[in-house]
Amino acid sequence: MTQPHSSLIYILNGPNLNLLGNREPDIYGTVTLEDIEKSATLHAGKSGFGVDFRQSNHEGALVDWIQEAGEKAAGLIINAGALTHTSVALRDALAPLGIPVVEVHLSNIFARESFRHLSHISPAATGIISGFGANSYILGLDAITATVS
Ligand code: DQA
């Protein structure tokens, strides 16, 4: 995984993450998804990478975008939201990708309800960063750039 075929990092966000800022701020903080996109774009730029940042509430759209990332991206960061805990389709889309994949979560999913302790996508990810709020995305970018640079 040392030869990036692109300088683009895909950052994909799943259900309800469009509501960040107002959504359970005690758990997820008050930062909006737009704020995260801006800071991620700025941070990736410092390492010479561009960011393609997307959100969907629909599993199929995320599957399509994961497949697209396999064609176009140097690496993929994914916060699949609740689909993390339910979606075999996302896991199957991630499994054959030949690029580094970092699963990120704002909250520490292992410190929450037991149904969040299972991630279907972790086995198909290169690694997981969970619990650092919006900084999970920045740490995810560092993990990708350190892996592909
Ligand atoms: C989340 C954790 C998930 O359990 C939850 O369903 C989310 C957000 C996080 O970023 O902490 O929607 O992925």
Side-chain angles (χ1 to χ4, degrees):
M1 231 54 85
T2 52
Q3 294 293 322
H5 59 277
S6 147
S7 59
L8 196 58
I9 297 171
Y10 272 38
I11 304 182
L12 302 182
N13 296 280
N16 300 305
L17 291 165
N18 55 311
L19 301 177
L20 281 184
N22 295 316
R23 178 191 179 199
E24 299 181 275
D26 46 319
I27 297 172
Y28 299 116
T30 52
V31 174
T32 67
L33 199 60
E34 199 182 353
D35 294 333
I36 293 175
E37 176 173 7
K38 281 184 190 148
S39 57
T41 302
L42 203 65
H43 191 76
K46 291 180 199 159
S47 307
F49 287 88
V51 160
D52 195 323
F53 194 98
R54 305 180 192 180
Q55 188 274 333
S56 178
N57 292 327
H58 304 279
E59 186 176 27
L62 293 162
V63 170
D64 288 343
W65 293 343
I66 291 167
Q67 291 180 7
E68 188 185 308
E71 298 296 318
K72 297 186 179 167
L76 170 63
I77 292 171
I78 183 162
N79 183 352
L83 291 172
T84 304
H85 316 298
T86 62
S87 179
V88 176
L90 289 188
R91 181 231 158 94
D92 284 355
L94 291 167
L97 291 193
I99 56 174
V101 174
V102 182
E103 173 187 351
V104 302
H105 300 282
L106 295 139
S107 62
N108 177 353
I109 58 173
F110 303 103
R112 299 183 61 194
E113 303 96 323
S114 57
F115 65 84
R116 296 186 203 275
H117 298 177
L118 171 71
S119 167
H120 283 296
I121 66 176
S122 294
T126 311
I128 171 168
I129 297 170
S130 184
F132 296 96
N135 273 328
S136 292
Y137 289 78
I138 301 300
L139 295 167
L141 280 169
D142 287 345
I144 299 271
T145 57
T147 305
V148 301
S149 298

